[in-house]
Amino acid sequence: MIKALISWVSVLARLYVVSIKSPSENTACRSAYDDKVKFEDPITKYSSVQGYVFNIKLLRRVFAPTFQLHDIKQTAPHELTTRWTMSMQLTFNKYNPLRRWWDPQLLFTGTSIMGVNPSTGRFNSHVDTWDAVNNQKYLSLEAVRHLLGQLLTFSQAPKLDTPSYTVLKKPSGYEVREYSDFVVAETQMEQASSAGRQAATEQPQKPSSSNSNSSSNSSSGQGKSAFMTLAGYIFGKNERQEKMAMTTPVFSDSSGRMQFFMGTGRDTGSLPAPLDDAVRCIHMPGGTYAVRSFSGMAGEKQAQKQLERLRVAMARDDLQGGATDWTLARYNDPSTKGPFRRNEVLISVTNFDLWGRGVTK
């Protein structure tokens, strides 16, 4: 019976991302649940399968969710638990003339604890928990604050190609992501050994005639110079004089490197050789990272503050990362105003467990 129910869970996961309109889809959903079923998450509560179906329809109509089922396991004699990620975007916002400044992307991770009625072989309870909150009770202040906090976020990334990743967990204050391999063009900023942390947080400038030759012995000058060197490579300073598409983000790290993502599907063999010896194209292996996002200007003081908050949250959740190495990612054009900017600090994680570590305690 448990194996059959695991198959039902997979079907139900697909129903989250397919609009429930046809009778067959309604029948599939209803046949997996008792007529009376406890369905609850931190902001939703129903007591029937009709309510559950209504909830899925509402999600599709208002939020257009994307649901990822990561794993399923039996956690009691008559209980299954799933681990999932759900991302959502307001469907009506595509008609909003202010979308340029407000286009929130909501993301939740958590578990679904699904009780089984042994007499019917159907689910008689379905309780979702969120990783980001401690108080899982219906309409808890913490859960409402978490939802509203995401809805009232103004920072966003430009619609450019970016490295591929999957969010595995979203505990309070950060995300745990699994990145796929990708390729970057990189250059080393000077004096990295003594000023790498500061150089990593300097704001790069847009390529222009006014700053194309800017450089100085300060960390600020080093950051700008590194940015211009990499910009020169993608704008044609290479053996094929190939102009490549803009991507996001710009990475800089505590070892003094600055990196440009070279685009989805590219490898080192397909990229033209740089004409500048300071530039090299390398393969970046994927991996698991703890990531904290923030808005505003990503200067040294702000980046260090966010980095410390990330380390505190990781320690709370027993996640281990590099003692000193970290990366700053900046997504926006320098002309973007602070509240609309998206920045991130990233730390590689060495001991992540989907079912164990990284959950708010």
Side-chain angles (χ1 to χ4, degrees):
M1 182 176 73
I2 291 296
K3 289 183 178 179
L5 288 170
I6 289 175
S7 297
W8 269 120
V9 172
S10 299
V11 171
L12 293 170
R14 289 195 293 273
L15 292 180
Y16 269 98
V17 294
V18 177
S19 180
I20 299 180
K21 294 180 179 178
S22 72
S24 62
E25 288 170 333
N26 277 282
T27 300
C29 186
R30 293 172 189 274
S31 62
Y33 287 89
D34 282 348
D35 289 337
K36 292 184 177 180
V37 57
K38 174 187 177 182
F39 177 80
E40 186 173 330
D41 66 26
I43 60 167
T44 309
K45 191 174 186 179
Y46 297 100
S47 59
S48 68
V49 68
Q50 290 86 356
Y52 176 74
V53 172
F54 171 79
N55 183 63
I56 298 176
K57 288 181 177 180
L58 182 66
L59 285 174
R60 285 294 303 174
R61 188 167 298 146
V62 179
F63 290 107
T66 299
F67 186 84
Q68 291 178 289
L69 181 64
H70 299 305
D71 200 6
I72 311 170
K73 70 178 183 179
Q74 185 176 354
T75 47
H78 299 102
E79 179 184 278
L80 297 176
T81 301
T82 69
R83 271 228 148 261
W84 48 262
T85 295
M86 181 179 286
S87 58
M88 298 188 288
Q89 188 171 12
L90 294 170
T91 54
F92 63 80
N93 210 42
K94 61 185 176 182
Y95 306 110
N96 184 358
L98 302 179
R99 186 180 183 184
R100 176 182 176 186
W101 297 280
W102 182 70
D103 191 20
Q105 312 288 318
L106 286 71
L107 191 139
F108 303 87
T109 68
T111 65
S112 293
I113 304 167
M114 308 179 73
V116 180
N117 183 343
S119 63
T120 64
R122 297 179 178 179
F123 297 115
N124 60 5
S125 68
H126 182 149
V127 178
D128 287 353
T129 68
W130 294 352
D131 292 326
V133 302
N134 286 306
N135 188 348
Q136 303 290 340
K137 291 182 179 179
Y138 174 58
L139 289 182
S140 71
L141 181 60
E142 186 181 7
V144 172
R145 186 185 298 120
H146 178 58
L147 173 63
L148 292 178
Q150 296 193 73
L151 282 171
L152 297 176
T153 296
F154 295 94
S155 63
Q156 55 183 296
K159 308 300 183 186
L160 297 174
D161 197 8
T162 193
S164 175
Y165 63 83
T166 298
V167 178
L168 300 176
K169 281 188 182 179
K170 186 183 177 71
S172 178
Y174 70 104
E175 297 176 356
V176 179
R177 299 177 184 170
E178 185 70 28
Y179 276 86
S180 302
D181 294 5
F182 58 95
V183 173
V184 299
E186 72 168 25
T187 191
Q188 189 77 21
M189 293 183 283
E190 296 178 2
Q191 300 176 353
S193 60
S194 61
R197 288 181 181 271
Q198 181 175 349
T201 61
E202 292 298 338
Q203 294 294 325
Q205 302 296 315
K206 260 185 171 180
S208 70
S209 58
S210 63
N211 65 19
S212 61
N213 296 315
S214 65
S215 65
S216 74
N217 291 326
S218 69
S219 294
S220 177
Q222 294 151 18
K224 293 175 184 177
S225 177
F227 182 86
M228 294 306 302
T229 297
L230 293 175
Y233 169 68
I234 69 168
F235 291 145
K237 195 175 179 180
N238 55 70
E239 66 174 3
R240 296 201 297 259
Q241 297 184 330
E242 177 182 341
K243 294 184 179 180
M244 290 167 268
M246 293 291 291
T247 61
T248 193
V250 174
F251 293 109
S252 46
D253 64 27
S254 51
S255 68
R257 297 183 301 175
M258 181 173 283
Q259 299 173 327
F260 281 11
F261 170 57
M262 295 312 298
T264 301
R266 302 299 295 259
D267 57 49
T268 54
S270 68
L271 292 170
L275 297 180
D276 191 329
D277 292 339
V279 178
R280 64 173 186 154
C281 298
I282 64 169
H283 171 264
M284 297 291 291
T288 306
Y289 288 82
V291 183
R292 180 176 175 86
S293 300
F294 62 100
S295 60
M297 304 296 289
E300 179 183 11
K301 184 179 293 187
Q302 176 71 331
Q304 289 287 346
K305 180 179 179 180
Q306 298 298 329
L307 177 65
E308 180 58 27
R309 289 179 177 177
L310 176 58
R311 291 197 185 280
V312 168
M314 291 173 64
R316 175 199 69 203
D317 297 335
D318 297 327
L319 285 184
Q320 298 174 7
T324 58
D325 294 340
W326 60 281
T327 300
L328 173 66
R330 288 167 295 195
Y331 284 81
N332 303 93
D333 185 291
S335 64
T336 303
K337 301 299 182 183
F340 305 106
R341 288 184 178 226
R342 175 179 166 185
N343 313 295
E344 295 172 345
V345 286
L346 302 87
I347 299 176
S348 178
V349 176
T350 60
N351 68 330
F352 176 71
D353 180 349
L354 182 65
W355 287 99
R357 299 179 185 274
V359 180
T360 302
K361 296 179 177 178

